[in-house]
Amino acid sequence: MKDKQKNKNKLYYTILAIVAVICIAVIIGVLLFANNNNENKNEKEIAYTDLIKKIENNEVEEIEMTVGSTTAKVKLKNEEEEKQVILPSTQAFIELIQEKTQDGNEFKLIQNPTNVLVKISETLLSLLPTILILVLFILLFKMQGLGDKGKIYDSEKSENTHTTFEDVAGLDEEKNELIEIVDFLKEPKKFQEMGAKIPRGILLCGKPGTGKTLIAKAIAGEAKVPFISMSGSEFIEMFAGLGASRVRKLFEKAKKIAPCIIFIDEIDAIGARRTNASGAESENNQTLNQLLVEMDGFETNETVIVLAATNRPEMLDKALLRPGRFDRQITIATPDAKGREEILKIHGKDKKFASNIDLKEIANDTAGFTGAELANVLNEAAIIATIKKHKKIEEEDLEDAVKKVTVGLEKHSRVISDKDKRLTAYHEAGHAIVSKFLETQQDVKEVSIIPRGLAGGYTMYKTNEDKYYISKTEMEEKLIALLGGRAAEKIALNDISTGASNDIEVATKIAQDMVTVYGMSDNIGPIYLKQKDPYEPQVFGENIDDAIGLEVKKLIDNAYKKAQEIILAHMDKLQAVAERLLEKEIISAEEFETFF
Ligand code: ADP
Ligand code: ZN
């Protein structure tokens, strides 16, 4: 979102600059033209044909011409005032005059050398299109960040952050691991004298929103050193060779203001494995090579720490992870219940809650949420409470906010046909009924056919305490629950819809992981098969893909069959729940239980 805005601004300024240049060019052009033509603006003009007649009639006393100019001054015998004439062609006019003088017409012809000013303006005018094109080119190059120092520094932010470890909730172990970096930045001499080697580069791995940037900023804030940040994707959006020069300049600047922290977000954008390819790929290689050179090029007394963030450490070129480069990895996991509660506390500090609100409860209800999502929930809750004119944030505001962050905003305005509503009702009732009869699946919290975000309806489950391991049975049953929606549509309405596409996508991914990551398939067994590195020799031949496909299909087929069996066995319940949904649009956990 932010990046889009930035690009928009960039485009906007470029267009503005181009328009400005064109305007200036036109103004200059007009001025020059005017200067050229109206040298004697207040003189009266005489038509060319009249002048010829007057020459023939011997009425002309004097003609004054300037080389290179298309105007001439004419003095008539019987008039005091000089007149001006515009000549269609100076060459032809001179020939004509020679002819006339031979014919016996007498008058004085003065030929002035070229007016320097006129000459310059004319040259300029003729060069104008070229200049304009040049300016446009320069602008275009600048837009790409070429050769302009200011531009390069613009996109990388250097700031003095006031973020401290106190602003980072949870992540105690990670903070402990990073505290030595803070000490080092504060008192590098102490470490150097001891001969201690401090890691240069630290890789922070974790999902977006888990607080990687936050913790990097906190290190800078704790050590009271500047924080220079740049995003990997910014390096690659540029012309050939620029990525590398940007990396060089980034490090140059860091060394100048050391001690400091460099933070490279999305390092996978530049740090992805090098290839033999040309074009965009080889450009990427150059950028990465430069980064490696810079990481190796630090002097021991330079106190610059490079922190980089990625969600896909396995994508990174191995060279990046070698000693002296990003040789330390810290994984930032999504917070557990305790961590979530602490994050909620930090972001709830300046918000007014109704007295019955227990942040611990919300923490329990939001398993899997990242720090950013939790912060978002509280902010949304505050907005909802304001709109609803509540004095404080109430429980329903928080519940709405959680839903908004997970499934999107309710869409009351969308007009839904009865047929679609029916389909959604049976689909969601299908999920709910099927999970009800699955041992390992969580209890239903809410079923709704009110559209939210992209979904026509949703079934929400209660979350239990955080789990670190998931059993095979649980995963199989998850597949069944996911396919319960499609199974219900098929059996109850004898038709299937596109509404199940997300369920199918999620189910397929789970099944794939079961086979290739968790070794849960009978025919392949416990072998890690997820393609990590297409450039390294593969252990298995190409046929392994077919075998994986067959196993995934078997898992999905079985799950779909089971889902249909459950629906068939409980058709009466499915109908009852679906009809109630059509009537009320939303069913709570308690109401759902009354059907059983
Ligand atoms: P990442 O860099 O991992 O994508 P950010 O550091 O940008 O994530 O986190 C986004 C926002 O989420 C932070 O600005 C902060 O408001 C909130 N946040 C994330 N993790 C935490 C945390 N552990 N404690 C407090 N706030 C957090
Ligand atoms: Zn569904």
Side-chain angles (χ1 to χ4, degrees):
M1 202 52 202
K2 244 189 181 167
D3 275 351
K4 258 190 201 159
Q5 187 61 39
K6 237 187 181 147
N7 283 339
K8 249 192 193 162
N9 280 344
K10 221 174 177 180
L11 197 68
Y12 175 74
Y13 284 125
T14 312
I15 289 171
L16 211 74
I18 290 172
V19 170
V21 165
I22 290 174
C23 284
I24 291 170
V26 167
I27 291 169
I28 292 176
V30 167
L31 280 179
L32 289 183
F33 194 70
N35 180 38
N36 191 18
N37 271 319
N38 301 334
E39 275 171 295
N40 306 297
K41 215 180 174 174
N42 19 14
E43 275 171 19
K44 291 217 180 92
E45 270 190 27
I46 176 172
Y48 184 59
T49 42
D50 287 346
L51 176 66
I52 295 169
K53 255 185 219 150
K54 291 204 155 95
I55 294 175
E56 280 166 359
N57 295 344
N58 242 336
E59 288 171 42
V60 178
E61 189 180 317
E62 190 182 298
I63 297 176
E64 190 180 342
M65 287 177 74
T66 306
V67 176
S69 169
T70 51
T71 59
K73 285 180 206 162
V74 179
K75 171 109 182 43
L76 297 177
K77 282 179 178 156
N78 52 356
E79 274 177 56
E80 267 304 293
E81 235 179 340
E82 275 196 336
K83 293 207 162 139
Q84 180 173 286
V85 63
I86 296 175
L87 309 171
S89 149
T90 34
Q91 190 52 43
F93 182 62
I94 289 170
E95 277 166 22
L96 186 104
I97 288 171
Q98 278 164 352
E99 201 182 292
K100 294 290 170 203
T101 36
Q102 275 159 20
D103 288 355
N105 297 312
E106 260 180 36
F107 60 88
K108 220 159 120 198
L109 178 69
I110 302 172
Q111 269 190 296
N112 289 331
T114 315
N115 180 337
V116 183
L117 241 160
V118 170
K119 191 85 195 168
I120 291 175
S121 353
E122 271 176 1
T123 324
L124 271 181
L125 207 65
S126 64
L127 282 178
L128 205 69
T130 326
I131 294 173
L132 205 73
I133 287 168
L134 265 173
V135 167
L136 274 176
F137 259 99
I138 290 170
L139 265 174
L140 270 173
F141 272 88
K142 276 197 176 166
M143 205 170 97
Q144 303 283 344
L146 184 81
D148 187 326
K149 239 180 185 171
K151 195 86 186 179
I152 286 173
Y153 286 163
D154 259 354
S155 60
E156 129 244 300
K157 287 169 283 170
S158 165
E159 51 184 312
N160 290 310
T161 86
H162 300 290
T163 311
T164 64
F165 278 155
E166 238 174 69
D167 301 307
V168 186
L171 302 176
D172 292 333
E173 281 168 44
E174 289 81 359
K175 282 193 251 179
N176 265 338
E177 225 182 315
L178 291 165
I179 198 103
E180 65 175 57
I181 303 292
V182 175
D183 291 340
F184 171 67
L185 285 168
K186 272 184 176 161
E187 289 179 281
K189 280 245 168 60
K190 218 171 68 181
F191 286 82
Q192 281 151 8
E193 278 162 16
M194 195 66 82
K197 267 217 184 94
I198 287 294
R200 266 293 160 216
I202 298 169
L203 196 61
L204 302 171
C205 311
K207 279 211 307 193
T210 43
K212 299 182 292 296
T213 314
L214 186 73
I215 208 162
K217 274 192 182 168
I219 295 173
E222 289 281 339
K224 296 195 173 61
V225 301
F227 177 82
I228 312 181
S229 69
M230 201 145 172
S231 172
S233 56
E234 283 171 44
F235 285 111
I236 51 164
E237 68 185 23
M238 295 165 302
F239 272 178
L242 281 174
S245 97
R246 264 194 167 187
V247 170
R248 209 183 54 241
K249 289 202 163 111
L250 179 72
F251 280 76
E252 234 168 54
K253 182 177 182 188
K255 284 176 190 171
K256 229 178 267 166
I257 60 172
C260 71
I261 284 196
I262 295 181
F263 180 67
I264 305 175
D265 206 359
E266 301 173 67
I267 193 168
D268 37 286
I270 32 171
R273 204 160 277 111
R274 279 170 293 184
T275 60
N276 301 323
S278 55
E281 290 267 349
S282 80
E283 154 66 5
N284 204 14
N285 292 351
Q286 280 181 35
T287 313
L288 175 56
N289 285 338
Q290 188 63 38
L291 182 61
L292 297 175
V293 167
E294 296 294 345
M295 292 297 291
D296 292 342
F298 281 119
E299 307 286 330
T300 35
N301 58 356
E302 269 161 347
T303 358
V304 177
I305 299 278
V306 190
L307 291 157
T310 179
N311 189 24
R312 293 177 294 177
E314 75 281 350
M315 287 269 301
L316 296 178
D317 198 294
K318 297 263 181 322
L320 261 180
L321 310 176
R322 286 212 195 104
R325 296 165 182 171
F326 293 97
D327 49 5
R328 193 181 291 187
Q329 279 193 33
I330 296 182
T331 303
I332 314 255
T334 43
D336 57 11
K338 188 170 150 278
R340 290 196 300 272
E341 192 185 337
E342 283 173 30
I343 294 172
L344 287 169
K345 267 188 200 151
I346 283 190
H347 290 278
K349 244 189 302 185
D350 51 354
K351 297 190 172 62
K352 285 187 269 181
F353 294 101
S355 56
N356 63 336
I357 298 278
D358 185 0
L359 290 181
K360 193 170 184 158
E361 246 170 60
I362 306 166
N364 285 332
D365 279 350
T366 45
F369 277 44
T370 62
E373 283 168 329
L374 291 168
N376 203 2
V377 163
L378 289 186
N379 190 45
E380 289 296 343
I383 292 173
I384 292 169
T386 315
I387 291 172
K388 287 192 175 163
K389 298 200 165 62
H390 293 163
K391 284 206 174 64
K392 286 177 176 168
I393 297 172
E394 292 177 13
E395 205 161 330
E396 53 167 285
D397 304 330
L398 276 163
E399 276 172 13
D400 273 359
V402 170
K403 279 185 217 161
K404 189 170 168 184
V405 171
T406 42
V407 251
L409 198 62
E410 268 190 18
K411 287 192 177 144
H412 287 294
S413 54
R414 198 152 92 189
V415 183
I416 307 150
S417 70
D418 282 349
K419 188 167 168 270
D420 280 356
K421 241 182 178 169
R422 215 174 164 68
L423 213 109
T424 312
Y426 274 89
H427 178 105
E428 296 307 331
H431 282 305
I433 301 280
V434 168
S435 10
K436 172 78 189 163
F437 292 99
L438 293 170
E439 199 58 35
T440 63
Q441 297 304 294
Q442 261 92 34
D443 289 340
V444 169
K445 188 178 171 196
E446 190 175 285
V447 195
S448 158
I449 56 167
I450 300 170
R452 260 179 191 280
L454 289 175
Y458 59 88
T459 304
M460 267 173 100
Y461 301 95
K462 291 181 181 164
T463 48
N464 292 350
E465 78 299 352
D466 299 86
K467 274 201 197 122
Y468 289 100
Y469 301 109
I470 305 174
S471 71
K472 182 180 176 188
T473 315
E474 202 173 338
M475 285 181 111
E476 283 171 340
E477 295 199 345
K478 177 93 200 161
L479 295 181
I480 302 173
L482 278 166
L483 296 172
R486 163 60 64 93
E489 288 177 36
K490 172 96 183 75
I491 292 169
L493 306 172
N494 195 25
D495 196 4
I496 51 178
S497 75
T498 55
S501 66
N502 186 50
D503 299 336
I504 293 171
E505 190 185 330
V506 175
T508 310
K509 271 203 190 116
I510 294 178
Q512 245 169 348
D513 280 353
M514 287 173 74
V515 177
T516 61
V517 180
Y518 304 115
M520 288 176 176
S521 72
D522 302 329
N523 281 333
I524 295 178
I527 293 168
Y528 188 89
L529 289 167
K530 197 154 198 174
Q531 259 218 343
K532 241 185 177 178
D533 189 343
Y535 307 104
E536 266 170 29
Q538 301 295 303
V539 181
F540 296 96
E542 280 167 21
N543 291 342
I544 195 71
D545 287 342
D546 295 340
I548 293 171
L550 280 177
E551 287 301 303
V552 170
K553 182 163 163 43
K554 205 163 85 188
L555 283 168
I556 298 281
D557 283 350
N558 279 341
Y560 191 42
K561 215 167 84 201
K562 290 253 174 62
Q564 285 177 300
E565 280 168 19
I566 298 175
I567 296 282
L568 278 171
H570 304 281
M571 269 306 273
D572 52 331
K573 303 269 194 259
L574 177 78
Q575 238 143 22
V577 173
E579 291 307 322
R580 180 74 61 87
L581 267 175
L582 280 169
E583 181 191 325
K584 297 184 67 185
E585 293 199 331
I586 194 159
I587 295 179
S588 68
E590 294 77 42
E591 196 170 357
F592 182 70
E593 285 308 316
T594 61
F595 289 96
F596 301 93

